[in-house]
Every structure is written in C-alpha cells, then in structure tokens.
Amino acid sequence: MSQVRQFKAIPQSLSFLWFLRQMKTALDPRHQLRREAVKILFAESFTHQPTKNNLVDKILSKVKTIDKIVAAAAPTWPVEKLNKIDLAILRLAVHELKYEKTPPKVVIDEAVELAKEFGGENSAPFVNGVLGTIYKNG
C-alpha cells in the first residue's frame, strides 16, 4: 500500500519542480529586469528611447564594443543584418558575460529563454550558438 502512495507522490513532486522552474524564470525579478532591458534595447534599435533603466544605460555605453564581439562570433551575419530582437538579446547577454559577475551558464540559459519568448523559430539556436562561441573564445 505504501508503494502505491509513493508512486502517486512522484508526479506531485515533479509538478512542484516544474512549478519552481517556471517561477525561477517567469517570476524571478532578475528575469523580469532582463525582459524589460530586451524590450528597451529592441525599441532603441528603431528610435531613441527616453525611458531607460540602469542596465540598458550600461549596455548602450558599451554597444560598439559589444557589437564587435557579436560580429566576431557570427562572421557570416553582419550586425546590421541581424534580427533586431536577436541583437537586443545578444547585446544584453554579451554585456552580462563580459562586464557582470553572472555565471556564464545562467547568462546563456536566460538569453535562450528570452529568444524563445521574443524571437523567431531560429532565434534560440542562433543566440545559443553565438553565445557559446563567445564563451568558448573567452
């Protein structure tokens, strides 16, 4: 009888873990800050945005350096030809990889999640590949 109860408890545990995973990404204040930064960076690629946050200001102050890093990691895709949302996600992620103390695996995972949320069907693999190259090359 106790074996049956244990077996029935496993799916509940898994659903709780699934809930925690969703909470980690969707409700995490750091994730929300990244989402907001991507939105502002995307809008900034079309026209100057008067409302920015501290993170976006840091990224924009280093945008030329960040774009050179992206261009080196994706040589077949000129920065000006990249999908604007992919570029916004890459700028955020490269900034975090190079100038913040966020663990690289977290940065890449977050960027891929943002690409899944905001980008096209090829965005997540593209972002993952570019960031993997940047991480590997140091």
Side-chain angles (χ1 to χ4, degrees), residues 59-89:
I59 294 167
L60 292 176
S61 72
K62 296 176 177 84
V63 77
K64 288 182 182 181
T65 305
I66 290 170
D67 286 354
K68 285 179 186 176
I69 294 168
V70 170
T76 58
W77 289 94
V79 171
E80 61 275 357
K81 299 284 184 185
L82 288 177
N83 180 330
K84 301 282 189 214
I85 195 69
D86 294 351
L87 182 57
I89 294 166

Side-chain angles (χ1 to χ4, degrees), residues 7-117:
F7 182 74
K8 288 183 179 181
I10 291 172
Q12 291 173 346
S13 299
L14 292 176
S15 64
F16 180 70
L17 291 174
W18 177 86
F19 172 76
L20 286 177
R21 169 73 177 142
Q22 296 304 310
M23 195 169 112
K24 179 187 132 205
T25 57
L27 303 177
D28 180 28
R30 294 166 296 189
H31 180 73
Q32 294 300 321
L33 180 65
R34 289 181 181 109
R35 288 181 81 237
E36 193 61 33
V38 166
K39 290 177 187 179
I40 295 169
L41 289 167
F42 175 71
E44 184 77 25
S45 67
F46 295 101
T47 185
H48 176 70
Q49 299 299 302
T51 305
K52 299 177 192 142
N53 61 33
N54 190 33
L55 177 59
V56 172
D57 288 336
K58 288 180 187 177
I59 294 167
L60 292 176
S61 72
K62 296 176 177 84
V63 77
K64 288 182 182 181
T65 305
I66 290 170
D67 286 354
K68 285 179 186 176
I69 294 168
V70 170
T76 58
W77 289 94
V79 171
E80 61 275 357
K81 299 284 184 185
L82 288 177
N83 180 330
K84 301 282 189 214
I85 195 69
D86 294 351
L87 182 57
I89 294 166
L90 287 169
R91 284 175 172 166
L92 168 66
V94 170
H95 172 78
E96 285 192 292
L97 282 173
K98 297 295 182 180
Y99 304 107
E100 302 288 336
K101 294 183 181 188
T102 312
K105 305 270 183 190
V106 172
V107 171
I108 295 170
D109 182 57
E110 279 286 321
V112 169
E113 290 301 316
L114 290 167
K116 288 177 184 176
E117 183 177 351

